[in-house]
Amino acid sequence: MSSENSSADDVRRTTDDEQRVWDVVVVGAGPAGASAAYAAAVAGRSVLLLEKAELPRYKTCGGGIIGPSRDALPPGFELPFKDRVHAVTFSMEGRFARTRRSRQMLFGLINRPEFDQQLVQYAEKAGAELRTGATVSRVEQHGSAVPDRRTVAVVLQGGETVLARAVVGADGSASRIGAHVGVKLDQVDLGLEAEIPVPETVAEDWKGRVLIDWGPMPGSYGWVFPKGDTLTVGVISARGEGAATKRYLEDFIARLGLAGFEPALSSGHLTRCRADDSPLSRGRVLVCGDAAGLLEPWTREGISFALRSGRLAGEWAVRIAEAHDAVDARRQALNYAFAIKAGLGVEMSVGKRLLAVFERRPGMFHAGLTGFRPVWKAFVGITRGSTTLGELIRSHPMAGRALSAFDRAPQGDNAGEPGAGDAGAEDTTPRAAEPRGAEG
């Protein structure tokens, strides 16, 4: 449904008496916003989904769909996979490359424009109304634009006001709704990415296999995700290392033998993780996904966090819309925050600890993933969705004790080199048989 649909007439300001009040207004039509709109619409509420861009639109993202993402999708959703991953090559700045394989699919790869558009279509089928080209300037919960205490005013660029009983902010990492709520950030990283069309012979070498390369800056890594005739190649590191991150991407692409191919698109994006005490609501306004700073701190994986938090936000926004006073609305908002912290918050806490260890001892991570069966099995379980970081620590006391030990351990002289365990990695591929492009 385009921004010119008939619902636009319903939401335009006429007089306070005539203006429509939506049950739920969702700002942002990415995975978090579309999931929130779907969840609220399925519950039978009137839902308006606002998006500033025209759809489909590109987003800087590797496009990996792991098990938790798949499990959070609407019933019957057919994932538009460009490839299915059965093997992962791990390396450290191009060295010590080892490939581990799985008979079953580890995860799938999608293009975000197609995936996001399909999610929005599901929300529309559930009853949500989409309005594109709608940029939100601010949210007001008090003042002349707000007719009563049960209503939130969403003010658009140009002055138009949309009214709602509850608002979900899913407007990305530079969220205006997040600013209204008071979201506080604990970690900001810079991701750079290139979409590189390649000949069929090169594409065939990468089919079904991704590369993860531990990078030169603390906490950094690069990836190659194959999507048919295009390779998504990217790197990520802490913000403030912009020049070094750009050099890493350039060197990474050159090392892979891909420098001779012209990227169809190059982009950058800041990812933001919330602080532990960052709010998730204010009055009748909730935030989810990137707008709330919800993503896994170590890998910076955000799609599963967007889908899961968006669904919860949509469900609790329905309850807030039904609340008849501020006390009840506050109770529902606190319940939403508890649901987020009990699940995604635990995963983020473990991810932060993993990132801290990885920054100091990347070689240990490489050795574990390539040469220690329990670590590889944990990786497989997380990507397939049979476990999460939080469940892993809760159900395997040894994992928790090992992580605590690594938390306390000082950085060794060989922190950047794989340990002896790397040499015996199970399911490794000899260098002579390594598919072209896996190692420089």
Side-chain angles (χ1 to χ4, degrees):
M1 189 178 300
S2 75
S3 59
E4 300 301 321
N5 61 54
S6 60
S7 68
D9 294 333
D10 296 332
V11 297
R12 294 191 188 285
R13 178 193 293 274
T14 52
T15 70
D16 286 345
D17 291 336
E18 296 172 338
Q19 187 177 4
R20 178 173 186 176
V21 179
W22 297 84
D23 290 326
V24 179
V25 167
V26 180
V27 182
S35 294
Y38 174 85
V42 162
R45 300 301 181 266
S46 62
V47 180
L48 179 64
L49 179 57
L50 300 174
E51 168 58 44
K52 66 181 179 180
E54 297 297 330
L55 300 177
R57 45 86 179 107
Y58 179 79
K59 287 287 186 181
T60 304
C61 178
I65 300 295
I66 60 175
S69 299
R70 179 201 62 226
D71 295 342
L73 292 168
F77 190 97
E78 293 288 337
L79 279 158
F81 285 145
K82 297 301 179 183
D83 203 348
R84 290 168 168 79
V85 176
H86 287 80
V88 183
T89 297
F90 298 99
S91 65
M92 294 187 63
E93 295 184 63
R95 301 173 298 157
F96 312 111
R98 296 290 185 274
T99 297
R100 303 211 69 159
R101 304 184 184 278
S102 170
R103 292 183 180 87
Q104 294 179 295
M105 185 180 80
L106 295 170
F107 57 95
L109 301 174
I110 51 91
N111 284 328
R112 279 288 302 275
E114 184 181 1
F115 176 69
D116 290 10
Q117 173 103 349
Q118 192 170 321
L119 279 171
V120 169
Q121 289 170 348
Y122 263 74
E124 289 183 285
K125 289 175 184 176
E129 296 191 26
L130 169 69
R131 184 173 173 190
T132 58
T135 300
V136 172
S137 295
R138 65 186 185 277
V139 172
E140 295 181 6
Q141 301 195 63
H142 307 282
S144 59
V146 184
D148 58 62
R149 293 184 178 180
R150 288 190 61 206
T151 306
V152 180
V154 180
V155 183
L156 306 184
Q157 210 169 65
E160 181 188 345
T161 299
V162 177
L163 300 180
R165 297 298 182 201
V167 171
V168 175
D171 49 335
S173 58
S175 170
R176 290 184 183 273
I177 312 302
H180 171 81
V181 167
V183 171
K184 295 185 288 185
L185 305 171
D186 191 43
Q187 173 187 330
V188 182
D189 296 291
L190 171 65
L192 300 177
E193 193 169 77
E195 301 285 350
I196 306 177
V198 293
E200 184 178 348
T201 52
V202 176
E204 188 63 28
D205 285 340
W206 285 98
K207 187 175 181 180
R209 180 178 63 93
V210 302
L211 168 63
I212 297 176
D213 179 78
W214 315 121
M217 294 88 71
S220 67
Y221 74 95
W223 62 88
V224 179
F225 285 0
K227 299 171 184 175
D229 60 359
T230 299
L231 300 179
T232 298
V233 183
V235 299
I236 195 164
S237 67
R239 184 178 65 172
E241 298 284 349
T245 305
K246 184 178 180 182
R247 283 195 302 273
Y248 177 28
L249 179 60
E250 292 170 349
D251 293 345
F252 188 40
I253 290 173
R255 188 195 316 140
L256 294 166
L258 301 173
F261 304 116
E262 185 68 25
L265 189 64
S266 296
S267 62
H269 179 66
L270 290 176
T271 64
R272 297 172 168 92
C273 285
R274 68 186 296 272
D276 289 339
D277 62 345
S278 180
L280 290 160
S281 68
R282 177 180 174 184
R284 290 176 174 266
V285 178
L286 306 177
V287 286
C288 60
D290 285 344
L294 292 168
L295 73 157
E296 199 281 289
W298 175 39
T299 63
R300 289 79 156 188
E301 190 277 324
I303 294 178
S304 75
F305 280 72
L307 292 169
R308 290 181 285 171
S309 66
R311 182 184 62 193
L312 289 170
E315 292 170 353
W316 289 106
V318 168
R319 294 172 172 85
I320 290 173
E322 295 170 346
H324 291 287
D325 55 44
V327 173
D328 192 19
R330 177 61 176 163
R331 183 183 303 114
Q332 303 304 334
L334 288 173
N335 287 337
Y336 166 69
F338 178 80
I340 290 291
K341 292 174 183 177
L344 300 181
V346 173
E347 292 179 42
M348 289 188 70
S349 178
V350 177
K352 286 180 182 179
R353 295 172 66 190
L354 285 171
L355 176 63
V357 176
F358 173 65
E359 287 175 337
R360 293 182 292 121
R361 304 178 68 90
M364 180 195 69
F365 272 77
H366 185 74
L369 283 164
T370 58
F372 191 46
R373 179 189 284 270
V375 177
W376 170 248
K377 286 181 68 176
F379 177 88
V380 170
I382 290 168
T383 57
R384 288 183 185 154
S386 59
T387 189
T388 66
L389 284 174
E391 290 169 356
L392 200 64
I393 297 300
R394 283 195 299 266
S395 59
H396 294 79
M398 283 290 291
R401 288 196 290 271
L403 184 56
S404 296
F406 289 131
D407 281 341
R408 297 188 297 269
Q411 179 171 325
D413 294 336
N414 65 338
E417 298 293 336
D422 175 67
E426 181 181 319
D427 295 333
T428 59
T429 303
R431 287 189 59 176
E434 194 74 63
R436 186 168 59 198
E439 183 179 5

